[in-house]
Amino acid sequence: MSKSVYRVAQDHIDAANADLAPPLERDYTHLGEQLDRRGVDIDRVRERVGRFAVALPTWGVGTGGTRFARFPMDGEPRSVLEKIADCGTIHQLVRATPTISPHFPWDRVSDIDDLKQAAAAEGLGFDAVNSNTFQDQAGQPLSYKFGSLTHTDPDVRAQAVAHNIECIETGRALGSKALTVWVGDGTNFPGQQPFIESLERYLDSMAKVYAALPDDWRVFLEHKHYEPAFYSTVIADWGTNYLCARELGPKAHCLVDLGHHAPNTNIEMIVARLIQFEKLGGFHFNDSKYGDDDLDSGAIDPFQLFLVMNELADAEDQGRSGFDPAYMLDQSHNVTDPIESLMLSAMEVQHAYARALLVDRPALRAAQQNNDALLANRILKSAYETNVAPITATLRLRKGAAIDPLAAYRQSGYRKAKAAERPSAGGPSAGIV
Ligand code: LRH
Ligand code: MN
C-alpha cells in the first residue's frame, strides 16, 4: 500500500489567506456591529462555533455511486490509509472535522495500529464505528440476503452479533466511544415476514451487542424508512428506534440520518422529541429530495438543516439533561470531488449551527407565549437570513485553515498530485462505495 506523500503545505494556505484576510476582518467587524445591535456578541458566537465539530465518513472520501453506476475519479483513495490522508487534508483546510467515523469491514486492516497511527499523523481521532451486516463479505459463512440481526436463522443472527462485537473491539483499539448499527433488514412482499417476531429478533440480537458495550460506550441505532427493503423495514422510523433504544437501556440512543425519512417529514420535530426523551444519540448529516439520496448537506434544503440546528442550539441553551449528540456526515459523492463536497458540507453544517446561535430565544419564547406566529417565524428567519460566513472564515484563519477552502484546495493541485501517486485501481463499477 503506497504511502501518499503529497500534502497541502501550510505555506500555501497562508499565502492563499494573505489577500483575503484584510477584507475578511472588515466583514467580521461589520457583522459584529450588526449583531451587537441585536444584542449578540459575535466573539461569543465564534467561540461556540469553534467548539462545534462534525466527523467525516471514511466511506465518503471515495467517489460514490448508485445501483446503476459509479464513475471513479483519478486520484481517489484506494485504501483506508489513503482515505485518512484525504480526511487529514479536509481538516487541514476547514479545521472543523477533527474526527473520522470508520466503517467495518470496508476499513479493515491487518494491523489496527496502522489506522490509529495514520489518523494521529493527520491530527484526527475516531468518532463512532459503523458495523456492516447489509452486505455479504467474501468467504462469509452465512448470507445476509434475508436479514442479519433479525434473520429467521439463529446462526445468521449470531454471525451478525459477533460482527458488531468485533466492531466494538476494533473501536476500543482506535479510541472510539460508540458503535452505530444500521441494518437494512426488512421485506419486499406483504406476508414475507411477521412484523412482531422480526422486531423481537432484532431486540434479542441487539441485547447481546449491548451487553458487550464497555461502560463508557454508547450504541447508536439508525432508522431508515426504506431501502434496501422496499415493502417493510424493521427499524423504519424514529418511533420504533426510540422504543428499541429504551428497551435496550441507557447506553442505547437514536441516530438521525436526515435522508432516512419520507419526503416532507418534520425532522426537526423528531429531533425535539428525541431530545425531550433523552435518546438523541447523533446525526448523519446529508440532504435529499426524494429518497436516501445522500447529497451534500444543505445542498437542497438548507432551511431544514437550520431548523434541526435550532433545536440543538435551544437544547444547549437550556442545558437539557442527557444532551450529547455526535455529529457526523454521511454522504455519497457521485459527481463531485469528495474532498470539496465534504469541506463545503462541514461548513454548511457549521453555518447552520452558527445561525441557530443567533436566534433571539427570549423574544422567540415571548412570541410563542403570545401566539404571535408571524413574529415567532420572523425571529427564526432573521437568524437564518444572517450571513455568518465571516464568523466561520475568521475561525478558520485563526486555526491556520483556509479562509476559502475550495479555492485553496483547487489551487493546491492536491487531486492532480494524487492522480499521479494513485494509479487508478480499476474501471467503472456500481454501488454506493
Ligand atoms: C444507510 C447508511 C448507514 C451507513 C451507510 C453507508 O443508508 O446511511 O448509515 O452504514 O449508509
Ligand atoms: Mn447513515
Side-chain angles (χ1 to χ4, degrees):
M1 212 181 292
S2 64
K3 278 245 166 290
S4 53
V5 290
Y6 181 87
R7 293 183 57 79
V8 176
Q10 188 58 43
D11 295 354
H12 167 71
I13 296 175
D14 298 342
N17 287 344
D19 299 346
L20 300 174
L24 170 61
E25 191 152 346
R26 289 193 293 277
D27 292 347
Y28 186 84
T29 306
H30 178 57
L31 177 60
E33 287 158 6
Q34 286 179 318
L35 292 180
D36 190 48
R37 287 199 297 275
R38 286 153 61 172
V40 175
D41 173 351
I42 191 171
D43 293 332
R44 254 181 54 68
V45 172
R46 178 175 46 75
E47 279 152 29
R48 282 183 71 178
V49 177
R51 292 193 292 274
F52 180 87
V54 61
L56 296 169
T58 54
W59 63 94
V61 276
T63 302
T66 69
R67 60 184 169 165
F68 298 104
R70 189 180 81 88
F71 302 96
M73 175 187 61
D74 290 345
E76 68 174 278
R78 304 160 302 169
S79 69
V80 63
L81 297 184
E82 291 179 349
K83 290 178 180 180
I84 291 176
D86 289 357
C87 289
T89 297
I90 293 167
H91 188 47
Q92 194 189 1
L93 289 164
V94 296
R95 290 278 170 232
T97 56
T99 57
I100 52 182
S101 183
H103 216 299
F104 296 101
W106 291 340
D107 295 333
R108 185 174 285 155
V109 287
S110 48
D111 182 347
I112 199 69
D113 268 348
D114 287 350
L115 225 52
K116 202 166 180 181
Q117 278 153 29
E122 302 290 344
L124 298 170
F126 289 90
D127 203 312
V129 296
N130 297 267
S131 60
N132 175 346
T133 59
F134 51 85
Q135 295 172 322
D136 288 346
Q137 308 303 322
Q140 182 179 301
L142 301 167
S143 173
Y144 294 132
K145 178 172 181 175
F146 294 106
S148 60
L149 296 172
T150 75
H151 199 288
T152 53
D153 179 344
D155 294 340
V156 176
R157 300 199 300 273
Q159 178 182 273
V161 168
H163 166 67
N164 279 282
I165 293 175
E166 186 195 337
C167 288
I168 293 171
E169 291 318 311
T170 304
R172 292 180 74 169
L174 294 172
S176 173
K177 293 289 183 198
L179 168 71
T180 296
V181 180
W182 169 69
V183 292
D185 295 24
T187 67
N188 279 3
F189 293 85
Q192 182 180 340
Q193 281 299 325
F195 299 131
I196 296 176
E197 285 81 354
S198 297
L199 191 60
E200 281 171 348
R201 291 194 290 262
Y202 174 85
L203 286 168
D204 178 65
S205 298
M206 278 306 300
K208 295 184 176 82
V209 174
Y210 187 96
L213 291 171
D215 293 346
D216 60 350
W217 267 54
R218 299 187 289 174
V219 60
F220 301 148
L221 313 180
E222 185 176 1
H223 58 272
K224 181 174 180 177
H225 63 311
Y226 85 105
E227 188 203 43
F230 294 105
Y231 167 66
S232 73
T233 292
V234 177
I235 311 298
D237 55 62
W238 78 274
T240 305
N241 193 342
Y242 170 75
L243 290 169
C244 291
R246 211 179 57 184
E247 285 292 307
L248 288 168
K251 294 182 207 170
H253 293 78
C254 307
L255 184 136
V256 178
D257 183 312
L258 300 191
H260 289 187
H261 305 85
N264 306 324
T265 297
N266 188 328
I267 299 174
E268 57 272 20
M269 186 169 73
I270 292 172
V271 170
R273 295 281 181 271
L274 293 172
I275 291 170
Q276 179 175 358
F277 297 106
E278 303 188 16
K279 280 297 185 184
L280 178 64
F283 290 87
H284 277 178
F285 292 115
N286 49 55
D287 213 334
S288 52
K289 193 160 181 62
Y290 304 104
D292 184 22
D293 310 337
D294 281 338
L295 300 174
D296 293 10
S297 299
I300 305 291
D301 189 352
F303 189 53
Q304 175 181 262
L305 184 59
F306 163 77
L307 292 173
V308 166
M309 284 298 170
N310 176 50
E311 295 302 325
L312 302 173
D314 187 56
E316 273 181 14
D317 284 1
Q318 301 215 32
R320 293 230 176 243
S321 64
F323 181 76
D324 177 23
Y327 301 126
M328 297 167 273
L329 297 173
D330 177 5
Q331 299 174 181
S332 178
H333 309 108
N334 307 353
V335 295
T336 61
D337 180 323
I339 287 180
E340 297 185 354
S341 279
L342 287 166
M343 288 194 302
L344 297 187
S345 297
M347 290 160 60
E348 276 284 339
V349 176
Q350 216 186 15
H351 284 169
Y353 177 67
R355 290 183 177 117
L357 296 183
L358 302 183
V359 173
D360 181 344
R361 299 203 177 277
L364 178 62
R365 289 251 172 308
Q368 291 167 336
Q369 197 53 38
N370 303 333
N371 295 302
D372 188 340
L374 211 57
L375 180 59
N377 185 253
R378 276 310 312 151
I379 290 167
L380 276 190
K381 289 299 278 296
S382 66
Y384 174 66
E385 289 156 359
T386 305
N387 175 8
V388 294
I391 294 174
T392 57
T394 300
L395 258 177
R396 289 191 296 276
L397 175 62
R398 296 187 181 196
K399 290 183 173 186
I403 289 173
D404 182 344
L406 185 62
Y409 171 72
R410 290 186 171 181
Q411 287 152 11
S412 76
Y414 182 89
R415 188 56 76 190
K416 194 157 166 291
K418 293 300 165 186
E421 274 176 31
R422 302 166 177 174
S424 76
S429 59
I432 62 169
V433 290

